[in-house]
């Protein structure tokens, strides 16, 4: 099961690298997610960030990585 997931993630990482090459590395996680969704891929920001980090592509919080915006606590 793990090997199958790694193979799928490797293919997914190749698609992400292609999107980054097309944009000269200027794309951030939300934009990459949108591009993949336009191609019919079912994916979310967290998976894109995880695959990018695993493939030695740095993802910063301000670039749409793992961090989420601050939410005010309920009253």
């Amino acid at each position: 099961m793990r090997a199958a997931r790694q193979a799928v993630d490797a293919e997914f990482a190749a698609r992400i690298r292609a999107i980054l090459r097309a944009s000269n590395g200027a794309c951030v996680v939300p934009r990459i997610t949108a591009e993949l969704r336009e191609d019919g891929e079912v994916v979310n920001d967290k998976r894109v960030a995880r695959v990018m980090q695993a493939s030695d592509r740095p993802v910063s919080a301000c670039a749409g990585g793992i961090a989420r915006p601050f939410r005010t606590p309920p009253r």
Side-chain angles (χ1 to χ4, degrees), residues 1-64:
M1 180 88 132
R2 178 177 273 173
R5 178 64 174 215
Q6 288 174 343
V8 170
D9 282 350
E11 180 182 325
F12 194 63
R15 292 179 68 192
I16 291 172
R17 282 192 298 273
I19 292 170
L20 286 169
R21 272 194 304 273
S23 69
N24 294 323
C27 276
V28 293
V29 173
R31 184 66 225 153
I32 292 171
T33 304
E35 291 277 339
L36 291 168
R37 286 180 180 167
E38 287 175 7
D39 292 339
E41 184 75 32
V42 178
V43 67
N44 64 18
D45 289 344
K46 288 182 181 182
R47 181 170 181 217
V48 171
R50 178 181 53 82
V51 170
M52 287 176 71
Q53 287 175 340
S55 66
D56 298 327
R57 177 68 70 174
V59 178
S60 67
C62 63

